[in-house]
Amino acid sequence: MTTPPPPAATTTSATAAAAATTTTAATPPVPRRPSTSASASPAPWSELVGAALLGAERRTPPVPVRPGQSAAAALLDAAAISTVRRRAALRPAPAGERPAPAPADPRPPLPPAARRRLALLLADRGGTGAGSRRGTAPDLTELLPQWLAAAVEQGYRAPEALLPALLDTARARTDLRPAALALAGPRALWLARLNGAWKFALRGIGGPAALPGAGDPEAVRRLWEEGLFAERVALLTALRRRDPRAGLELLGTTWATERAEDRLMFLDSLGEGLSAGDEPFLEQALSDRSRNVRGTAAELLSALPGSALADRMAERTLRCVAVDGRAAGEPVLTIEPPRSCDAGMQRDGVAPRPPSGRGERAWWLAQLVEATPLDSWSGHLGGRGPAEIVALPVAGDRRTELHDAWCRAAVRQRNAGWARALLGAPGTPAQAAAEVAPGGSSRDATKLLTVLPGDERALWVAGFIAGHGLADAFRMLGVCAVPWAEPLGRAVVDALDIARDAGSYPWSFSGVMGLAERCLDPGAADRLDMLTALTDEPEGASPGSGGYWSEAFQRLVGTLRLRATMHAELAGAGS
């Protein structure tokens, strides 16, 4: 709604100017009013008009007068300001309190070329993903996460002028928020308190610079007691990385008064720096009133070597599994699941009710095996190693459920030896079947891969792609370190080239092509040039597939070269 201007607003200033500089001798003087102080509210419009009509020499205007300024000029200034306010439909009001200055950010600024690159990436934030577009131009929106991660890793701070655009981008893309807030630093939180559109930043932490240091225990205590939940989680995680005992002590000060969902999140943070010193606290959490908290405490204790819970689980499990060597031929594992789920098992995290379609006894056994230390199996099964144990046949139809439980145990306990044994050779048909089997096995090779060292993981996935192609490898590629190691990068490119030569439906590989743009080593761009040529389509190929593959490889090469340029800019080259 628009507020109409004051009556005769365009002539009032002229009237005020004439009246303020003349006096009428016949009119008796009016007693002067004291000047309005600078801190008072603006004078009403009627008083300004009255002072103007009588003249500034006969009535002191009800406005503050600056040193060296005449009363008439002060009256004119006040009339002009009041006119603008009335036309803008704003009520006169005293000035608000000026906000405190933004906190300092001691990190170095970006090199000039990298700063310009960030501005371009932020300006293109409305683009579409690589998997849904044609053309040869790199997709800048897919490069922004990698650029942010590299800038944060090198310890730069975001340019002040680009902070609003950076926060707008992080508001639209939740996947960017951790890196964007880390780059923005403490000034992101300062801005978020002034602009409600960026309040999401107050639920997170703008990097380590926003957390109090170890030398300020009072600030740590204040943030823990008064901070937002996300700030408290980040603080506890940082403390656990720096001093696990101090983090546990801080959690203990408020544990009894925390909400169940908060206790669960805080308990997850104890995974950082988990040690025997945490066992008494976690044992107490086994009696927590929240089932989820009890389950998480049991999971942490089962991953803690030598814990009392791990010993109890091992005792229960090993009574259920034995080697039967009496039959002719090789030994066989025999399994007798528990017949009941007693109170002690339930306190140790065993859920008594199975999911739909699962037998009770098999469900209890799987949970016991999953929580049993993997190192205890060798002594129980005649000194065999993980590969020998995994190779043993299992009586009945329980092999799948036993191996699946071992897989979950290997992931929970981060046991690389058992992960290798359960993964097996990457090129075997059994591996492909385990990955794609509908319904039967819950084995997840991708999770097992996360337990292996990065180089070994990349080599295993490269072998899997060479043996089975890309169809079942997409999730595996997502857990490999970036940039991909040479054997893995070459395997992906070779598989894409084979798919093109075979006339495969090109759009089914757009996800892998997008991953390649982000994860291939930028140094591979030159040797991939030969793949950008338009080739003849084989008989039976999808119509237009040759043009699509050519565009896709051109985009891949262009993106790799742009990534190389971006890293050089962050290193200070071309500034």
Side-chain angles (χ1 to χ4, degrees):
M1 182 176 67
T2 304
T3 302
T10 58
T11 60
T12 301
S13 296
T15 304
T21 55
T22 61
T23 58
T24 305
T27 306
V30 179
R32 297 177 182 270
R33 297 186 180 181
S35 299
T36 306
S37 66
S39 61
S41 299
W45 176 258
S46 59
E47 292 191 18
L48 296 177
V49 173
L53 292 174
L54 289 175
E57 294 297 330
R58 301 179 57 229
R59 174 182 286 184
T60 302
V63 296
V65 180
R66 299 191 303 272
Q69 183 186 38
S70 67
L75 176 60
L76 288 174
D77 287 348
I81 293 172
S82 185
T83 299
V84 172
R85 280 179 170 153
R86 288 167 64 86
R87 287 181 173 177
L90 294 177
R91 290 184 175 182
E97 183 179 353
R98 181 175 297 177
D105 191 338
R107 295 176 296 174
L110 287 168
R115 184 190 185 283
R116 293 190 293 270
R117 179 69 60 190
L118 176 59
L120 290 173
L121 293 173
L122 294 176
D124 193 62
R125 61 181 181 268
T128 58
S132 61
R133 64 183 175 88
R134 293 290 300 267
T136 61
D139 183 16
L140 300 185
T141 61
E142 292 300 319
L143 291 178
L144 182 56
Q146 191 172 116
W147 188 98
L148 289 172
V152 171
E153 183 180 357
Q154 296 188 38
Y156 290 119
R157 72 169 187 265
E160 289 78 1
L162 294 180
L163 284 175
L166 183 60
L167 289 171
D168 282 342
T169 302
R171 179 182 61 174
R173 291 183 58 179
T174 56
D175 62 308
L176 295 179
R177 289 182 182 179
L181 292 179
L183 183 68
R187 294 181 177 181
L189 303 180
W190 181 83
L191 284 172
R193 293 185 178 99
L194 302 175
N195 187 338
W198 301 327
K199 62 183 179 181
F200 70 88
L202 300 177
R203 298 191 292 269
I205 289 295
L211 295 174
D216 193 353
E218 179 59 27
V220 170
R221 182 198 63 78
R222 185 167 56 252
L223 181 61
W224 178 251
E225 295 179 355
E226 303 174 6
L228 298 167
F229 176 70
E231 292 176 322
R232 300 178 71 209
V233 171
L235 175 63
L236 179 60
T237 301
L239 275 178
R240 289 287 296 180
R241 290 172 180 168
R242 189 167 61 211
D243 186 349
R245 182 178 180 83
L248 182 64
E249 290 175 352
L250 182 67
L251 177 59
T253 60
T254 59
W255 177 259
T257 60
E258 302 286 357
R259 300 181 305 168
E261 54 267 33
D262 294 349
R263 293 199 304 276
L264 182 61
M265 292 294 293
F266 292 143
L267 208 57
D268 279 336
S269 299
L270 295 188
E272 295 282 351
L274 187 67
S275 67
D278 301 318
E279 185 176 0
F281 181 87
L282 293 173
E283 277 284 345
Q284 291 182 355
L286 290 176
S287 302
D288 194 272
R289 56 187 179 274
S290 166
R291 182 184 64 181
N292 291 333
V293 172
R294 295 195 301 270
T296 301
E299 184 174 335
L300 289 171
L301 283 169
S302 67
L304 186 61
S307 69
L309 179 139
D311 291 343
R312 294 193 296 269
M313 287 298 201
E315 183 180 356
R316 294 173 181 130
T317 302
L318 300 182
R319 288 200 300 261
C320 300
V321 182
V323 176
D324 185 359
R326 294 173 299 174
E330 60 183 349
V332 176
L333 287 179
T334 59
I335 298 177
E336 180 64 29
R339 297 188 174 278
S340 65
C341 183
D342 57 34
M345 289 169 60
Q346 294 183 43
R347 182 180 182 274
D348 286 345
V350 178
R353 293 186 178 180
S356 177
R358 189 85 178 268
E360 277 187 340
R361 297 181 66 193
W363 170 245
W364 299 334
L365 176 68
Q367 294 178 82
L368 293 178
V369 173
E370 184 177 348
T372 296
L374 290 166
D375 293 340
S376 62
W377 287 100
S378 179
H380 180 66
L381 298 178
R384 295 176 173 87
E388 295 174 288
I389 295 173
V390 169
L392 288 173
V394 181
D397 57 353
R398 299 191 181 278
R399 183 179 187 278
T400 295
E401 63 190 40
L402 178 62
H403 282 223
D404 288 351
W406 277 338
C407 287
R408 294 191 294 273
V411 173
R412 179 187 295 188
Q413 299 171 34
R414 314 306 294 173
N415 191 309
W418 272 84
R420 288 187 196 97
L422 291 161
L423 281 168
T428 58
Q431 265 305 325
E435 272 298 301
V436 301
S441 174
S442 64
R443 184 181 309 185
D444 191 338
T446 301
K447 290 183 179 180
L448 285 172
L449 284 169
T450 64
V451 182
L452 301 181
D455 292 344
E456 184 179 355
R457 188 185 314 168
L459 192 61
W460 195 95
V461 177
F464 183 91
I465 292 172
H468 307 292
L470 291 168
D472 303 315
F474 185 78
R475 291 180 62 240
M476 299 180 190
L477 289 170
V479 300
C480 293
V482 177
W484 288 335
E486 172 58 22
L488 178 57
R490 185 176 295 277
V492 170
V493 172
D494 288 347
L496 289 170
D497 193 21
I498 291 171
R500 179 186 63 171
D501 291 342
S504 299
Y505 190 66
W507 295 275
S508 62
F509 293 92
S510 59
V512 174
M513 188 65 77
L515 271 180
E517 291 177 17
R518 297 190 295 274
C519 303
L520 273 176
D521 188 337
D526 290 341
R527 65 180 176 83
L528 296 180
D529 263 335
M530 65 180 67
L531 300 177
T532 62
L534 183 62
T535 60
D536 295 333
E537 295 179 5
E539 184 178 354
S542 302
S545 63
Y548 177 90
W549 282 111
S550 176
E551 287 182 0
F553 280 120
Q554 288 179 59
R555 184 169 62 244
L556 174 59
V557 171
T559 301
L560 294 180
R561 287 176 174 152
L562 179 56
R563 284 175 52 208
T565 301
M566 286 166 38
H567 285 286
E569 291 169 348
L570 285 168
S575 299

